[in-house]
Amino acid sequence: MKPYANHYSQLDAANQREVDWQAGYEIALDEVATEIDNDLKQGDQTHYHELTELLCDNDNFWLAIGSGASYEPYRQEAIKKIAERELNDRMNDYDPD
């Protein structure tokens, strides 16, 4: 085995860990977004005001409402932002001890 082969295998392993972490983060983010969406549909008020604030600040949301188009993509985008904030809060609150 050539001396640099071990170095490249270590880089490959580090890169794979990074890709795995990113995939895991995306999966967790989708799960949190789905959880928030389901809670909102069931009438939970926990994230209602934050969602309303994000949608009210989005000009495209108002254009969609005014034209009669679907505003669902903007709603999902706002829910994803809320989920990202919530997931980051959960990660920062993690205490292994």
Side-chain angles (χ1 to χ4, degrees):
M1 180 183 246
K2 298 184 179 179
Y4 58 82
N6 188 32
H7 176 70
Y8 286 127
S9 67
Q10 289 175 353
L11 287 175
D12 287 343
N15 185 43
Q16 187 60 45
R17 282 192 302 274
E18 179 70 20
V19 169
D20 290 345
W21 183 88
Q22 289 172 349
Y25 180 81
E26 287 297 320
I27 291 168
L29 184 61
D30 288 342
E31 288 175 359
V32 172
T34 301
E35 178 184 308
I36 291 170
D37 190 27
N38 290 337
D39 289 346
L40 287 166
K41 288 179 180 176
Q42 293 175 2
D44 186 5
Q45 298 291 314
T46 307
H47 300 288
Y48 178 77
H49 297 292
E50 188 175 3
L51 176 65
T52 303
E53 186 176 317
L54 286 171
L55 289 175
C56 286
D57 291 342
N58 188 339
D59 291 337
N60 291 327
F61 170 75
W62 291 111
L63 289 171
I65 293 292
S67 68
S70 173
Y71 62 87
E72 188 64 26
Y74 307 112
R75 183 180 181 277
Q76 292 303 321
E77 180 183 318
I79 288 173
K80 194 146 187 159
K81 286 181 183 179
I82 295 169
E84 188 173 316
R85 181 201 46 79
E86 189 168 302
L87 185 59
N88 287 334
D89 288 348
R90 289 180 189 178
M91 288 170 37
N92 291 334
D93 285 342
Y94 176 71
D95 186 13
D97 293 334

